[in-house]
Amino acid sequence: MPLSIATWNINSVRLRMPLVERLLNEYAPDVLCLQETKCPDDQFPSAAFRKLGYEHIAIHGQKGYHGVATVARRPLEIVEKRRFCEIDDSRHLSVRFDVGGKKVTAHNFYVPAGGDEPDPEINAKFRHKLDFIAEMNAIPAAHDETSASVLVGDLNIAPLEHDVWSHKQLLNVVSHTPVETENFEAMRKAGGWVDLMRLNVPDDQKIYTWWSYRAKDWAISNRGRRLDHVWSSANLAPQLTGIEILSAARGWDRPSDHVPVIARFDLD
C-alpha cells in the first residue's frame, strides 16, 4: 500500500494557493501538511482543496500569523491541537488516518523562528523557541503492531553541520546555534523519532529546504538551510521508499522561501 506525505511552509496559503494547486496536480501526495497558513479557520480555502480531490481537511489557524493545516485524499480524524508554552499560537495539529493496516498519527508542526539574537536572556522569542522544543519531548513516536507515527513540518532548526551552507559562519545564527541543535537532537532521539531525510543520505552531504528571500539569486549562491523535517516512528522507517525535496519550487512564481518535501512509503 503506497503512502506519500508532503510538508510545506507555504507562507500564506491564500496568497500562494496557485502554487499549492501546482504541487497537488503534479505530485499528488496522499497527505499534505502546510505550515504558516496565516488565516483563520473560516477563511481557509477548503473549496479549492476539495475541487482538487482533497476532501478531508483539518485546520488550526489564526489571523495573519502562524497556522497549520493537513489535507488528504483519505479520511482524517483530528487527534489534537496542542497549545505550547501557554501561548495561543496555532503551531501544532495532529491527525490520524488508516493505511496499510495501520493507524498512522501525523503531527504537523510550525516551531517558532526565534528572532535574531541567540540569547534567551535578552530575546523573548529565542526563549520561547527553546521552551517550545523542550515541550516537544511530550510527543513521542508512539507505535505498535497496528499503529505508527509521523512528525513533519517547519521545525526552524538545521541540526547537523551539513544542514547549512556554512557550519562555521552560522554557529551564532539562530536556527543553527549549539543550544538549539543539541536540544533538538536530544528531543528527537529521546522521543524515538527517526530522521527520515538523513536515513539514506550521509551526514556529510548537504540538504537544504529553505533559501532566504534576501538572496538576489538563491540558486547560484545556494546558501540554504534544512529547516523542514520528516520524522517517523521506528516501525515506519524500513518502509520508506524515498524522500523528494522539490528545490525547483523555490523558483516558482511568487514562491515561499521554503520548498515542499515529500516522503513516500510502501506499507505492508
Side-chain angles (χ1 to χ4, degrees):
M1 173 68 70
L3 170 68
S4 55
I5 300 176
T7 180
W8 195 4
N9 177 321
I10 194 59
N11 192 12
S12 178
V13 66
R14 289 177 293 176
L15 177 64
R16 295 187 169 82
M17 194 60 206
L19 303 187
V20 177
E21 291 175 353
R22 178 173 176 177
L23 173 75
L24 297 181
N25 283 325
E26 293 183 10
Y27 294 90
D30 297 305
V31 179
L32 171 61
C33 298
L34 296 170
Q35 302 87 40
E36 212 171 354
T37 53
K38 294 184 176 180
C39 73
D41 292 359
D42 61 357
Q43 295 181 28
F44 189 81
S46 299
F49 283 100
R50 292 192 175 101
K51 186 176 180 180
L52 291 163
Y54 291 78
E55 299 182 358
H56 307 282
I57 299 170
I59 46 181
H60 186 196
Q62 65 184 86
K63 183 178 180 180
Y65 298 94
H66 320 313
V68 289
T70 300
V71 302
R73 297 189 293 181
R74 62 180 69 245
L76 297 175
E77 170 195 355
I78 296 178
V79 177
E80 184 179 22
K81 300 177 182 181
R82 185 173 292 218
R83 185 172 183 245
F84 282 77
C85 303
E86 298 301 317
I87 298 174
D88 289 323
D89 289 347
S90 299
R91 294 184 176 275
H92 170 262
L93 171 67
S94 61
V95 301
R96 184 176 295 125
F97 53 87
D98 295 321
V99 59
K102 284 186 172 64
K103 289 188 176 294
V104 178
T105 299
H107 295 277
N108 183 357
F109 269 99
Y110 176 46
V111 171
D116 294 326
E117 180 60 51
D119 184 344
E121 300 302 319
I122 64 174
N123 179 4
K125 291 181 178 180
F126 195 64
R127 176 78 271 164
H128 178 208
K129 183 177 190 176
L130 297 181
D131 290 345
F132 194 102
I133 294 298
E135 287 192 20
M136 286 179 68
N137 278 281
I139 299 184
H143 66 283
D144 58 26
E145 291 183 358
T146 60
S147 67
S149 296
V150 174
L151 189 156
V152 305
D154 176 6
L155 306 188
N156 260 317
I157 293 176
L160 304 182
E161 178 177 347
H162 294 284
D163 288 340
V164 295
W165 65 272
S166 173
H167 172 64
K168 183 177 180 180
Q169 294 183 66
L170 295 180
L171 276 174
N172 291 316
V173 175
V174 173
S175 78
H176 193 61
T177 65
V179 66
E180 293 172 272
T181 60
E182 290 168 10
N183 288 344
F184 183 82
E185 281 292 272
M187 174 271 294
R188 179 184 66 80
K189 293 174 182 177
W193 293 103
V194 179
D195 180 356
L196 296 181
M197 294 175 71
R198 283 292 181 186
L199 193 62
N200 298 310
V201 178
D203 287 355
D204 62 357
Q205 182 172 326
K206 297 286 189 183
I207 302 179
Y208 306 145
T209 65
W210 173 92
W211 292 262
S212 173
Y213 283 132
R214 297 174 185 175
K216 289 185 177 180
D217 195 324
W218 67 274
I220 291 177
S221 62
N222 200 28
R223 294 188 171 190
R225 306 179 203 177
R226 181 172 71 120
L227 301 181
D228 305 88
H229 297 265
V230 181
W231 299 351
S232 81
S233 50
N235 63 336
L236 271 189
Q239 297 175 305
L240 179 74
T241 58
I243 294 277
E244 189 172 6
I245 300 171
L246 304 182
S247 302
R250 183 61 179 80
W252 291 356
D253 186 41
R254 302 182 73 188
S256 170
D257 46 359
H258 297 254
V259 299
V261 180
I262 304 175
R264 302 185 188 279
F265 303 86
D266 189 0
L267 278 64
D268 297 334

